[in-house]
Amino acid sequence: MGVFKIGVLDFETVGQGSAEGSRLAGNAKPYNRTKMFTDAIKAAGHIPVVYKVEKCQMFFGEKAVILYNNKKIKGCDVLIPRIDFSLGIDLEISIIKQFQLMGIPVLNQYLPISRAKNKLRTLQILTRSKIPVPKTIIARRIQDVDEAVKRIGGYPVVIKVPFGSYGREVALLESRRSLYSALDILLRRDTTSIFLVQEYVAESDNCDYRAFVVGDKVIASMKRQARAGDFRSNLELGGTATSIALSDDEQKIAVRAAKSVGLSICGVDLLHSKNGPVVMEINANPGLKGITDASGVDVAGEIIKYAAKVAHQHKTQK
Ligand code: ADP
């Protein structure tokens, strides 16, 4: 198939997903994500090209170009963006888009990434594609909350903000009293005035199931269990991961969810509800280490295989 220059657009800080981590975590040891990719690229006989997003600038003259370390950037045959928007979604999304405009195949593209980043957009797309999701109301006014809670079936409920990640802006509220005070805190600190009130899927028993989708296949999966006393199973918050085989039905839902948003590499998080699996979230920048350790699958290697296939198709189509 040939040797390809495979680009990885990452950010400088390394860690289990999060640059900041969480004050609650404790077992989320930092790891070098970029190295996991560059090792896999070399192992597959390709050439790694690493771009750190902090070193990218955009120059608009006669045309737009990306400067890297103040010089015109050297291209690659395919790019894998691995950024988590710590610099702000607008800048990072524009940089990814600029790589696309340079004619480089990008996995994932900027538009699906921005859809998945926004829980409201994700819900719109999933329901349009008839993919089951937990009942959710998007609201802006505190005075609408009582009706919202009734409509989704009463307490307990989960509240979230559209752009939260690592489980940091997600809370489980058991009563009206706690919901009102929690919303007050949430809306004061968040930059958006929109919030999600979601049915609490109690049958999930503090676990969720991640399907790691590459192309049109689930290549690895894991069950994540929240740490004792929490309901959020994020590994960044001290959750633990074990290997699990997903049913055919769950795998099909995960692939359909990824396709509906337009992502070719993603983590689809499912909850087991009393009515079957529901998709709770799609992560366009899923962590690598937790799923690799839990599933025993060489996830980085699988991603690189897929990226090389895309680079090859792109070259032969030119
Ligand atoms: P984030 O994008 O910040 O990780 P999520 O929406 O994925 O936020 O929620 C974080 C965790 O909280 C999930 O992994 C899951 O364990 C738990 N959780 C979220 N929503 C629900 C829900 N509606 N019912 C039960 N558990 C939930």
Side-chain angles (χ1 to χ4, degrees):
M1 206 162 54
V3 174
F4 297 107
K5 276 195 241 157
I6 302 188
V8 181
L9 177 64
D10 208 338
F11 52 96
E12 204 79 81
T13 330
V14 293
Q16 169 67 51
S18 160
E20 297 163 44
S22 162
R23 273 179 270 176
L24 287 176
N27 63 352
K29 290 210 182 63
Y31 70 94
N32 193 330
R33 302 182 322 163
T34 314
K35 191 168 176 310
M36 274 185 92
F37 271 111
T38 50
D39 286 351
I41 294 168
K42 287 184 211 155
H46 301 293
I47 302 158
V49 185
V50 174
Y51 307 107
K52 295 290 181 184
V53 71
E54 292 89 339
K55 296 183 184 170
C56 293
Q57 300 167 59
M58 293 186 61
F59 170 62
F60 296 97
E62 272 176 26
K63 51 183 188 171
V65 285
I66 300 178
L67 302 177
Y68 192 68
N69 264 339
N70 297 311
K71 294 194 190 85
K72 206 170 154 219
I73 202 158
K74 290 199 184 85
C76 56
D77 299 311
V78 58
L79 178 79
I80 306 171
R82 296 284 306 174
I83 52 187
D84 78 344
F85 303 107
S86 47
L87 297 183
I89 188 159
D90 288 338
L91 177 65
E92 295 181 350
I93 277 288
S94 307
I95 290 173
I96 297 171
K97 181 172 181 178
Q98 199 56 44
F99 276 100
Q100 287 178 224
L101 292 174
M102 285 162 67
I104 296 171
V106 175
L107 309 168
N108 299 303
Q109 298 210 331
Y110 85 95
L111 191 58
I113 294 179
S114 61
R115 289 179 187 139
K117 191 71 200 146
N118 182 340
K119 295 184 199 298
L120 161 52
R121 293 282 288 121
T122 305
L123 282 166
Q124 274 179 332
I125 292 166
L126 293 178
T127 42
R128 192 185 58 197
S129 306
K130 301 199 168 16
I131 293 166
V133 296
K135 275 189 212 133
T136 310
I137 297 229
I138 316 286
R140 0 180 17 119
R141 302 188 313 170
I142 298 265
Q143 61 264 44
D144 296 331
V145 164
D146 285 335
E147 277 305 313
V149 172
K150 256 194 236 156
R151 193 173 289 273
I152 60 172
Y155 290 98
V157 294
V158 175
I159 55 168
K160 305 179 180 183
V161 293
F163 288 98
S165 48
Y166 308 121
R168 282 183 299 224
E169 280 98 7
V170 177
L172 174 62
L173 287 314
E174 325 257 358
S175 68
R176 184 176 196 268
R177 203 161 57 162
S178 44
L179 175 63
Y180 272 68
S181 44
L183 274 179
D184 201 29
I185 297 172
L186 190 79
L187 296 178
R188 263 174 220 277
R189 66 179 290 265
D190 199 73
T191 45
T192 167
S193 57
I194 301 172
F195 53 91
L196 285 72
V197 185
Q198 188 166 76
E199 147 195 26
Y200 171 54
V201 181
E203 315 81 78
S204 66
D205 205 17
N206 308 326
C207 294
D208 71 0
Y209 299 84
R210 166 157 292 186
F212 204 107
V213 177
V214 176
D216 49 15
K217 276 205 294 257
V218 173
I219 57 127
S221 47
M222 66 174 165
K223 175 179 177 177
R224 298 183 304 181
Q225 170 80 50
R227 57 155 42 193
D230 204 332
F231 80 108
R232 298 164 301 170
S233 53
N234 304 65
L235 302 185
E236 296 82 2
L237 296 179
T240 45
T242 47
S243 167
I244 187 117
L246 297 178
S247 68
D248 284 352
D249 190 33
E250 288 166 331
Q251 295 192 38
K252 273 190 200 136
I253 290 179
V255 171
R256 271 179 57 217
K259 277 203 182 311
S260 66
V261 174
L263 290 165
S264 30
I265 300 166
C266 63
V268 179
D269 294 341
L270 301 156
L271 293 176
H272 283 176
S273 82
K274 53 182 182 298
N275 303 318
V278 290
V279 173
M280 183 192 48
E281 139 125 320
I282 305 186
N283 192 327
N285 186 21
L288 281 191
K289 180 140 171 43
I291 186 96
T292 303
D293 292 349
S295 67
V297 174
D298 175 13
V299 176
E302 291 294 321
I303 294 173
I304 298 311
K305 245 192 248 166
Y306 179 71
K309 201 170 101 190
V310 171
H312 175 72
Q313 280 165 356
H314 184 75
K315 265 216 164 135
T316 47
Q317 272 162 19
K318 264 192 201 169

